[in-house]
Amino acid sequence: MEKEFENYWKHHQRNLIERAPQSLNEERKNSGKMNTAGDWLLFALPVIAMSGFISLRLFSQELVNFLVSLAVGAAFFVLTMFIKPYVTGKRNIVDIDEDIKQHFYRIYQEKGLKGLETL
């Protein structure tokens, strides 16, 4: 993409995302909501992993068990973020933002920066 558009996107990204087509805006808003069974499952998975690890009592010190269980929970949380699109059928916000950026880049190619500012 052209540097001029990249600079404009960097400075006006929030405003452009708000002015994106309604379908992309709705998809972006719904991707973070807990409105499917998969969302709730992925929300509970790190907590279940943490409590399961604590109940194993692999270490003699309770503080070490707790800290390691926090690390296990964090690892499961990161894992759930990676598999969320496959479980819930929702696209990642980064992908949606990239589609919004492509939408405005096409407008930029046709009308230039003035076309973006008059939307």
Side-chain angles (χ1 to χ4, degrees):
M1 292 188 184
E2 295 180 30
K3 186 161 180 67
E4 182 182 38
F5 176 76
E6 286 294 332
N7 288 335
Y8 187 83
W9 175 258
K10 243 190 273 186
H11 291 97
H12 300 92
Q13 181 176 357
R14 180 174 289 168
N15 187 25
L16 290 173
I17 287 174
E18 289 174 4
R19 294 180 1 214
Q22 185 177 359
S23 60
L24 290 172
N25 256 340
E26 287 297 318
E27 184 180 8
R28 190 174 195 280
K29 288 176 187 172
N30 286 331
S31 72
K33 291 183 180 177
M34 304 281 288
N35 54 4
T36 66
D39 287 323
W40 288 100
L41 175 71
L42 293 176
F43 175 75
L45 194 61
V47 176
I48 293 168
M50 286 175 58
S51 61
F53 186 84
I54 285 178
S55 68
L56 289 177
R57 298 181 191 257
L58 294 178
F59 301 103
S60 60
Q61 293 182 340
E62 196 164 323
L63 180 62
V64 174
N65 267 335
F66 178 71
L67 292 176
V68 173
S69 72
L70 282 177
V72 167
F76 268 85
F77 177 76
V78 169
L79 177 69
T80 61
M81 290 296 108
F82 283 118
I83 64 172
K84 184 176 182 174
Y86 304 108
V87 173
T88 63
K90 298 178 184 178
R91 290 193 316 152
N92 193 340
I93 287 182
V94 174
D95 296 334
I96 298 168
D97 285 350
E98 188 61 33
D99 285 351
I100 293 171
K101 186 176 181 181
Q102 291 295 325
H103 169 76
F104 285 111
Y105 184 66
R106 285 190 293 270
I107 294 172
Y108 168 77
Q109 287 177 323
E110 293 172 10
K111 302 176 183 177
L113 287 179
K114 290 181 182 179
L116 292 175
E117 293 172 358
T118 59
L119 289 177

